[in-house]
Amino acid sequence: MAMQILKIDFDGETLGSFIDKEFNEYAKKFNIKVDYNDFCFVAKEDDTLLGVVVGHSYYKEVHVTDLIVREEYRGKGVGSELIKRVEKEFSGQRYENINLTTYAFQAPEFYKSLGFEIEFVRKSSDEKLTKYFLIKHLNKE
């Protein structure tokens, strides 16, 4: 039987179980605890969703995958409060850092104002699409 590579719709139940099992089993071989957990925090005012931050924690780090704030609420502290909530959730635990990426047209200066440091910049031929890799260390003494 020849191997095939297929593009399919992601089935979170079946494929998610496979990924979780294999990911964890491989880490165990190196005596590493994965402890993968998704998180999601929302900012709401009455019934209006103002913003959301999502990501996951694993190993010794927290990764923010998306921070989205409704356009009319940008610049009013919503994003800052969402990031602070992530910091509060994971500070004082075994996690060493929060990391994320953003593009030049998005929010590198915003994240720097919250104490994130630039780890790496990947230049693009389109300056607006230059990608910033940022980190904020937790539990610093």
Side-chain angles (χ1 to χ4, degrees):
M1 177 187 232
M3 178 176 66
Q4 295 178 309
I5 306 297
L6 308 169
K7 182 179 180 184
I8 64 170
D9 290 331
F10 185 79
D11 170 4
E13 192 170 318
T14 304
L15 293 176
S17 294
F18 169 79
I19 292 167
D20 187 52
K21 178 185 177 294
E22 295 299 323
F23 197 73
N24 282 290
E25 290 299 319
Y26 188 75
K28 281 182 192 174
K29 289 181 179 182
F30 296 92
N31 200 31
I32 295 174
K33 182 179 180 183
V34 176
D35 195 24
Y36 185 98
N37 290 292
D38 292 317
F39 65 84
C40 177
F41 297 104
V42 298
K44 290 183 79 175
E45 190 172 78
D46 300 318
D47 290 332
T48 303
L49 180 63
L50 310 181
V52 60
V53 62
V54 295
H56 44 266
S57 60
Y58 58 102
Y59 304 132
K60 290 187 172 277
E61 65 183 19
V62 176
H63 181 73
V64 171
T65 54
D66 289 295
L67 171 65
I68 308 292
V69 175
R70 188 181 297 274
E71 188 169 3
E72 60 267 30
Y73 290 92
R74 293 179 191 158
K76 297 181 179 179
V78 175
S80 298
E81 290 302 314
L82 286 165
I83 292 295
K84 287 177 190 174
R85 182 61 180 88
V86 172
E87 290 178 33
K88 181 180 176 184
E89 181 76 12
F90 295 102
S91 290
Q93 298 182 43
R94 63 184 181 81
Y95 300 101
E96 296 175 354
N97 63 69
I98 299 172
N99 60 72
L100 54 86
T101 59
T102 191
Y103 290 96
F105 81 95
Q106 292 174 322
E109 295 305 316
F110 164 75
Y111 291 113
K112 286 169 46 180
S113 76
L114 295 177
F116 283 80
E117 302 167 24
I118 295 174
E119 270 192 310
F120 180 75
V121 177
R122 183 186 303 140
K123 299 280 186 184
S124 171
S125 60
D126 181 341
E127 184 60 35
K128 295 180 298 260
L129 296 179
T130 291
K131 190 170 188 175
Y132 291 79
F133 295 74
L134 296 110
I135 189 167
K136 183 168 188 177
H137 298 280
L138 297 172
N139 311 318
K140 276 185 150 178
E141 298 299 318

